Amino acid sequence: MLRIALAVVTLAVPAWVLATRGSTVWAAHPAYPVLLLVLVAVGALLLVLPPRGRAGGWRRAGRVAAAVLLVGVLGATAWLRPFPATAPITA
């Protein structure tokens, strides 16, 4: 269940960023759209791949570390949305 929730959030964050700042994302640095595409691919893989069986101690620790890393990347992606350029104020 947690894996499905993580997959949905992994797909929702890029969709939200593109819905709110789509034109800015495509005009900004090319690394940000690549990051969004990678997140969509990871979310799709989490949804499509079958769940694995019970894991031992080290595997479970690795999965928890990967989930924490993914949540951190999702948070940074959502927080660091590019702002659109504004015209300079002339007085």
Side-chain angles (χ1 to χ4, degrees):
M1 187 66 180
L2 184 63
R3 179 179 162 176
I4 299 299
L6 191 59
V8 169
V9 171
T10 305
L11 292 171
V13 168
W16 174 69
V17 169
L18 288 174
T20 58
R21 302 273 199 260
S23 62
T24 306
V25 167
W26 298 119
H29 194 278
Y32 199 80
V34 169
L35 173 65
L36 295 179
L37 291 173
V38 167
L39 287 175
V40 168
V42 168
L45 281 175
L46 284 173
L47 283 176
V48 172
L49 291 178
R52 298 204 174 183
R54 296 191 56 97
W58 283 109
R59 282 198 180 185
R60 183 175 306 209
R63 289 180 186 175
V64 169
V68 168
L69 179 67
L70 182 59
V71 168
V73 169
L74 288 170
T77 302
W79 181 263
L80 297 174
R81 287 183 309 155
F83 285 103
T86 58
I89 298 174
T90 57

